[in-house]
Amino acid sequence: MKQLFSKVLSPTDIEHRLAVPSEILWAFEFDQARRCADFEVKDKHGRTWEFRCSTRKKDFHPKPVVSKGWRKFVKDKGLQAGDKVVFYKDVEGDSSYKIITMKKVFKLFGEEVWLPS
């Protein structure tokens, strides 16, 4: 599994959609006409979640976001601003995706300590 990205969630990520880095667009098979890619992600319990990553249609900078399915995931997982998500992709096998959610527990010697939630 290759880590695609990790992100500390903002209020916008919690309330509306998850903004993701443009650098990970290679990891999705985009429908160029619709400028989106539907994909399934498994959590640490093996539950499958359906998400959609899309980009702006009329802008030079694509600004990708995960929208479809994201709000349900946030609600079901009890995520809050300040929590972290980590996305992975299996680049050698079946091209599956995985997501891990994390809570910040404390700081130790100036470093944040995160635990899977």
Side-chain angles (χ1 to χ4, degrees), residues 15-30:
E15 297 165 12
H16 301 289
R17 65 201 157 274
L18 175 67
V20 299
S22 298
E23 295 79 28
I24 68 151
L25 289 177
W26 64 267
F28 302 101
E29 294 181 21
F30 266 76

Side-chain angles (χ1 to χ4, degrees), residues 3 5 44 57 73 85 93 98 113-114:
Q3 181 176 319
F5 74 98
K44 71 177 186 176
K57 293 183 171 126
F73 179 79
V85 293
K98 181 178 176 184
V113 177
W114 296 86

Side-chain angles (χ1 to χ4, degrees), residues 18-106:
L18 175 67
V20 299
S22 298
E23 295 79 28
I24 68 151
L25 289 177
W26 64 267
F28 302 101
E29 294 181 21
F30 266 76
D31 176 329
Q32 294 303 321
R34 295 177 37 219
R35 300 188 60 98
C36 67
D38 292 332
F39 62 103
E40 292 182 343
V41 177
K42 286 194 177 184
D43 64 18
K44 71 177 186 176
H45 302 291
R47 180 173 175 186
T48 300
W49 301 85
E50 293 185 24
F51 293 151
R52 173 174 291 152
C53 183
S54 58
T55 61
R56 292 181 178 179
K57 293 183 171 126
K58 298 181 181 180
D59 195 340
F60 175 73
H61 183 69
K63 293 200 176 184
V65 295
V66 173
S67 53
K68 177 186 161 194
W70 176 248
R71 290 280 303 127
K72 178 171 177 31
F73 179 79
V74 166
K75 183 178 178 184
D76 287 0
K77 294 293 185 179
L79 296 176
Q80 300 175 357
D83 292 344
K84 184 189 283 190
V85 293
V86 185
F87 275 81
Y88 297 89
K89 181 176 183 179
D90 182 350
V91 293
E92 295 179 8
D94 60 3
S95 295
S96 62
Y97 299 90
K98 181 178 176 184
I99 188 170
I100 295 174
T101 59
M102 305 180 92
K103 302 264 186 203
K104 182 169 39 173
V105 182
F106 54 84

